[in-house]
Amino acid sequence: MYDAVLTNCVVRDNVAMSNGGGVYSGTLYDCVVSNNVAQISGGGISDSVATCCVIAQNECGEVEGYGGGAYRSELQNCVVNDNRVLKGQAAGGVSLSVCRNCTIYGNVGLGAHAWPVNDQPGGTNYNCIVYGNTGTTQIDTRMASFN
């Protein structure tokens, strides 16, 4: 999906050759985004806005990637779980994203310097629950902001 507005939808089993395996540059409300693959970044969503969504079991980074669940996106009241990044300096859950009141758990970053959540400057988590995420390196608290 590119540049779409989705409400009460299920987006699953899609593949993108670059970013946004499920949705790229979209707006989502009350959706489930699962089992999508992006070759580079944003296995579930990329450059999108999601509200009250579940973003689960997506992956990216066959080439090199960031954000198995979400990349360069805004998430509010979302659950981001069981996403993964295969290669690169990557975050398994969310990367370069702003998350508000989200629960982010069970995500995996498998890259050389992989953090599980918001691995780059500009990624911010407001009032989020973050637990059970794993990566090949520890979270560098200088990189992401937790408020």
Side-chain angles (χ1 to χ4, degrees):
M1 297 281 175
Y2 172 75
D3 203 25
V5 176
L6 305 171
T7 302
N8 298 318
C9 293
V10 174
V11 179
R12 63 174 290 140
D13 301 322
N14 298 288
V15 176
M17 297 310 292
S18 59
N19 296 343
V23 177
Y24 181 83
S25 189
T27 303
L28 300 88
Y29 302 97
D30 298 312
C31 294
V32 174
V33 180
S34 66
N35 296 6
N36 300 289
V37 176
Q39 295 297 311
I40 300 178
S41 296
I45 66 173
S46 180
D47 300 276
S48 297
V49 176
T51 304
C52 299
C53 295
V54 174
I55 301 170
Q57 299 175 340
N58 301 287
E59 73 176 38
C60 73
E62 190 66 32
V63 177
E64 178 162 334
Y66 297 87
Y71 175 65
R72 285 193 319 225
S73 296
E74 293 184 30
L75 288 74
Q76 183 158 333
N77 300 320
C78 292
V79 174
V80 181
N81 67 289
D82 300 321
N83 300 285
R84 66 186 191 150
V85 173
L86 304 175
K87 296 180 184 174
Q89 296 186 4
V94 293
S95 179
L96 281 170
S97 297
V98 175
C99 301
R100 291 179 179 85
N101 303 314
C102 294
T103 301
I104 304 166
Y105 70 95
N107 300 287
V108 179
L110 299 173
H113 299 287
W115 293 268
V117 61
N118 266 332
D119 56 334
Q120 300 293 314
T124 305
N125 302 292
Y126 297 97
N127 197 37
C128 292
I129 299 169
V130 179
Y131 69 95
N133 299 286
T134 59
T136 56
T137 58
Q138 296 295 319
I139 295 174
D140 185 343
T141 56
R142 295 171 297 166
M143 300 295 270
S145 174
F146 291 85
N147 297 308

